Amino acid sequence: DEVSYALGKDGATRKKLELASGAILQYVGYMAFIAGSLKERRRCRDFITWLLQQRRGSVTISDISSRDDVAEVYIPASCKGWVTGNRGSELRRMEQMSGTYMFMALDARGEERLLIFGVNAGNKRTDGGRTHAERMVKEMIRERLYDNDEDRRAPAARGRGRSESPGRGR
């Protein structure tokens, strides 16, 4: 069951973890084989561990300061569902576009934030990598906050409100 989950539909999860880690990941029966440099293999193993932890509940990654493969984004509570999407669909879409591995995890204080992992740092001008994923997430947050702000400022346009027409027989 865990192998099926780690493999994903048509191997999508396996391919995502491969791309984000820089390693080669193959499953033979119930065994995962990881090839690449020591750093790539360790990164891939971390990703698999966190992936499987997500099935059981929240993942806590207290300290990311020693890692060079991650971006961290704190998402306002009003935007979390918008950014993650139904069953993580928005995160999966952004992962595919950027070649990263993304999930919500708790920090040392128990605060939830989005972690964007990937061997490719990317840059501000091109697509792909952590920077690209971070840009997409922040754009979604801005969009959501702007929409919420617009909703608060717009006059209530629900229904007809109070009718200006004369009442019957009054």
Side-chain angles (χ1 to χ4, degrees):
D1 193 39
E2 285 190 334
V3 174
S4 296
Y5 183 73
L7 185 57
K9 185 178 178 184
D10 298 325
T13 304
R14 179 190 63 80
K15 292 171 189 171
K16 168 180 64 181
L17 297 180
E18 267 189 339
L19 187 59
S21 69
I24 297 168
L25 173 62
Q26 289 293 320
Y27 297 104
V28 178
Y30 292 104
M31 295 287 292
F33 290 87
I34 306 170
S37 70
L38 180 60
K39 192 171 187 177
E40 291 166 344
R41 294 191 319 263
R42 283 185 175 154
R43 183 181 298 122
C44 191
R45 187 186 63 210
D46 287 344
F47 293 176
I48 294 168
T49 300
W50 295 327
L51 178 77
L52 296 176
Q53 283 177 357
Q54 289 175 60
R55 291 190 74 196
R56 295 182 208 101
S58 296
V59 177
T60 300
I61 302 175
S62 301
D63 184 23
I64 59 168
S65 62
S66 63
R67 298 189 71 103
D68 64 358
D69 62 347
V70 64
E72 178 179 47
V73 181
Y74 284 87
I75 299 174
S78 63
C79 300
K80 283 182 184 172
W82 178 255
V83 170
T84 58
N86 182 30
R87 299 183 57 152
S89 60
E90 284 300 313
L91 291 183
R92 304 297 83 85
R93 180 185 65 80
M94 291 184 283
E95 284 174 338
Q96 276 195 310
M97 292 177 70
S98 62
T100 59
Y101 172 43
M102 305 164 66
F103 60 94
M104 301 297 290
L106 302 175
D107 64 13
R109 297 179 311 247
E111 290 184 39
E112 193 174 46
R113 84 278 202 209
L114 178 67
L115 296 178
I116 303 169
F117 287 94
V119 68
N120 177 4
N123 63 55
K124 291 181 179 181
R125 293 184 239 347
T126 61
D127 289 348
R130 297 186 308 271
T131 305
H132 179 218
E134 192 172 356
R135 272 194 332 259
M136 287 189 285
V137 168
K138 288 181 176 178
E139 179 56 35
M140 288 188 78
I141 293 169
R142 275 192 296 275
E143 185 179 304
R144 183 65 173 178
L145 292 176
Y146 176 79
D147 285 350
N148 284 347
D149 198 38
E150 285 294 309
D151 289 345
R152 279 193 290 275
R153 278 194 243 139
R158 292 174 184 83
R160 291 185 341 150
R162 197 166 178 172
S163 175
E164 297 295 321
S165 63
R168 284 187 282 171
R170 291 187 196 156

